[in-house]
Amino acid sequence: MNSLATTTATNPTLPLHTISVLVRNQPGVLVRVALVFARRGYNIESLVVSADPVSADFSRMTITCSGDPDTLEQIIKQVAKLVDVVHAIDHTGQAVVETEIALVKIKAGLDERTVILQTAEHYKAKVVDCSSSSLILRVTGASEKLDSFITLLRPFGVVELVRSGKILMTRGPEAT
């Protein structure tokens, strides 16, 4: 999936940028990275942080935001200069594999379950919890797929929704 084709819900004319930041696992690193974005007036739309499986000394941040590409370039340069940052890369326009996960709790009386379960099957969502009045569905895939799935479920009554934010990895031998 090409992240250039993805735009934000708040401003559909601005491309969505996905940035990978490899950082040392130190207290305060997340705050320092977020402050660089805040000082430039950028809103971080999603942020996923995970420990590096190879070395516990490092973590990877995947940051999704939208805005002026020239300003974003300056932000990435400033982030890369931070002491605990190893590197920062904007993956916009690169060949990447990206995905997201969502848990959606919906009202689901006996009358609506058939339609809800058919919708879930179409989107390859899994039922992870079931009660007499609700279902929790887990769906994974591209952000657009999750948006579409959630839109179809809204008329049934979304009780709760949790999304992970986008994660990605560059295709081929190149490191993310």
Side-chain angles (χ1 to χ4, degrees):
M1 176 179 185
N2 185 334
S3 56
L4 270 179
T6 307
T7 57
T8 65
T10 55
N11 190 342
T13 60
L14 293 174
L16 199 58
H17 297 270
T18 306
I19 301 146
S20 288
V21 184
L22 184 64
V23 298
R24 287 185 182 78
N25 232 350
Q26 298 293 322
V29 174
L30 176 59
V31 171
R32 288 190 292 279
V33 170
L35 279 173
V36 173
F37 284 83
R39 282 194 300 263
R40 292 287 189 140
Y42 262 67
N43 185 39
I44 295 175
E45 296 187 23
S46 78
L47 171 67
V48 178
V49 182
S50 59
D52 188 320
V54 178
S55 171
D57 295 335
F58 297 96
S59 290
R60 177 167 312 280
M61 296 180 185
T62 304
I63 302 169
T64 305
C65 63
S66 62
D68 174 57
D70 294 332
T71 305
L72 184 63
E73 185 179 336
Q74 293 303 312
I75 290 172
I76 293 169
K77 287 178 182 176
Q78 288 176 346
V79 167
K81 289 179 185 177
L82 294 174
V83 173
D84 291 316
V85 172
V86 177
H87 68 261
I89 303 167
D90 182 359
H91 293 285
T92 305
Q94 291 183 342
V96 297
V97 174
E98 57 187 37
T99 194
E100 189 175 345
I101 186 170
L103 293 174
V104 187
K105 184 187 294 184
I106 52 175
K107 293 179 188 173
L110 295 176
D111 301 342
E112 297 118 350
R113 286 189 187 226
T114 302
V115 176
I116 292 168
L117 292 174
Q118 286 173 344
T119 303
E121 184 178 335
H122 176 76
Y123 282 86
K124 296 182 175 42
K126 303 289 183 210
V127 177
V128 293
D129 186 62
C130 182
S131 75
S132 60
S133 61
S134 69
L135 292 171
I136 298 178
L137 303 169
R138 179 181 60 219
V139 62
T140 61
S143 298
E144 296 83 3
K145 174 185 173 183
L146 274 61
D147 292 341
S148 175
F149 180 64
I150 293 163
T151 298
L152 289 174
L153 293 178
R154 286 210 188 274
F156 298 104
V158 173
V159 176
E160 210 172 343
L161 171 66
V162 179
R163 288 178 79 156
S164 67
K166 188 188 304 184
I167 58 171
L168 67 78
M169 187 174 283
T170 55
R171 292 183 182 270
E174 183 179 328
T176 306

